[in-house]
Amino acid sequence: MDVRRDLPLLVPKELVPIIHATPRYVVVNKPAGLLSVPGIGPEKQDCVVSRVLAMFPSATGPMMVHRLDMETSGVMVVALDADAQRELSMQFESRVVMKTYVALLEGSPARDEGEIALPMRLDVERRPYQIVDFEQGKPAVTRYRVLSREVDRARVEFEPITGRTHQIRVHAASEISRGLPGGGLGSPIVGDGLYGINACGPGGPTSGLLLHARTLSFLEPGTTRRVEFEVGPGF
């Protein structure tokens, strides 16, 4: 979908914070609670793309390269021309892009670091809920490292190797292991209204999710130069 073509030039009430800007792409710090792309209905047109377009009205092409959940904050790259969008998207598909997240978890993982490998798929009867499914799920792999521990919580760094919807949230909350290495942490992210301790289910409130995309590294479009951007979480 060409998000740019179908999006009116809106004047947002707020602008998205710009970390780095070039003629071909910009890197932003997405606030929690802001959509990555426009949703259905006039009340859901405010998003990262519309705010970037308002700041860079000469942008062309689809613009959107990747997404963060509405509740997730952190570093995102947005393309300003079609070729840059295509090249950056291919980097995500081929796993050239490297990224890390930081989350505050309810409870504390048993190990200081490790790798979670639990296949996932959409629960079609409870959209957008994702479930672990060893028969029909797509491979999903996440590395993790405990940064600090509190009495009943832990700050954890996550590195998603694959990019499934809600992957970090499901892998943090799930306790499924089937006796094999690579099981979930059994410690949901604080404020997760879908998979957390006080989850409300699909459509329930998810404000206050303490998950932040901290670093993003990729090759600049048209070059072989790797660049990396980092913004710390606000929690």
Side-chain angles (χ1 to χ4, degrees):
M1 179 181 68
D2 188 338
V3 175
R4 164 65 180 86
R5 182 186 60 198
D6 300 329
L7 191 66
L9 184 57
L10 304 177
V11 179
K13 295 180 180 179
E14 299 180 33
L15 299 179
V16 63
I18 301 294
I19 300 170
H20 182 73
T22 77
R24 304 201 63 196
Y25 68 89
V26 295
V27 180
V28 306
N29 181 19
K30 183 184 106 51
L34 179 67
L35 291 168
S36 294
V37 297
I40 299 175
E43 75 284 358
K44 295 184 179 180
Q45 297 308 294
D46 185 24
C47 61
V48 170
V49 169
S50 66
R51 294 190 185 189
V52 170
L53 182 58
M55 301 170 73
F56 301 87
S58 62
T60 60
M63 295 180 65
M64 182 51 57
V65 174
H66 65 124
R67 305 185 188 193
L68 294 177
D69 292 347
M70 183 175 71
E71 303 86 1
T72 303
S73 60
V75 185
M76 286 185 63
V77 59
V78 180
L80 298 181
D81 66 71
D83 288 340
Q85 191 274 343
R86 187 179 306 108
E87 186 172 336
L88 289 168
S89 296
M90 290 177 62
Q91 289 188 41
F92 273 89
E93 292 176 6
S94 58
R95 300 180 186 174
V96 172
V97 175
M98 296 183 291
K99 50 190 173 179
T100 63
Y101 293 71
V102 173
L104 194 63
L105 305 188
E106 298 278 6
S108 193
R111 299 171 57 191
D112 289 337
E113 60 183 25
E115 185 173 280
I116 303 164
L118 295 176
M120 296 169 47
R121 67 167 176 85
L122 173 69
D123 185 337
V124 294
E125 296 182 355
R126 295 190 296 167
R127 298 174 184 270
Y129 201 82
Q130 308 289 320
I131 59 174
V132 173
D133 187 330
F134 286 88
E135 281 72 42
Q136 300 180 10
K138 295 181 179 179
V141 179
T142 308
R143 295 178 184 140
Y144 71 91
R145 178 170 64 95
V146 176
L147 300 176
S148 63
R149 298 180 187 268
E150 302 175 7
V151 175
D152 58 351
R153 292 182 175 182
R155 185 175 296 267
V156 178
E157 177 186 82
F158 291 96
E159 180 187 358
I161 306 305
T162 53
R164 307 301 175 199
T165 300
H166 297 176
Q167 177 174 312
I168 293 175
R169 297 165 68 176
V170 172
H171 280 182
S174 177
E175 294 183 283
I176 298 174
S177 66
R178 291 199 170 182
L180 300 173
L185 301 184
S187 299
I189 298 172
V190 173
D192 194 335
L194 275 179
Y195 309 101
I197 293 175
N198 298 311
C200 301
T206 54
S207 60
L209 178 72
L210 299 189
L211 176 63
H212 177 82
R214 184 172 68 178
T215 67
L216 182 67
S217 173
F218 54 87
L219 303 181
E220 282 203 314
T223 77
T224 58
R225 186 170 78 94
R226 179 169 287 278
V227 290
E228 181 173 350
F229 303 94
E230 178 173 357
V231 175
F235 55 82

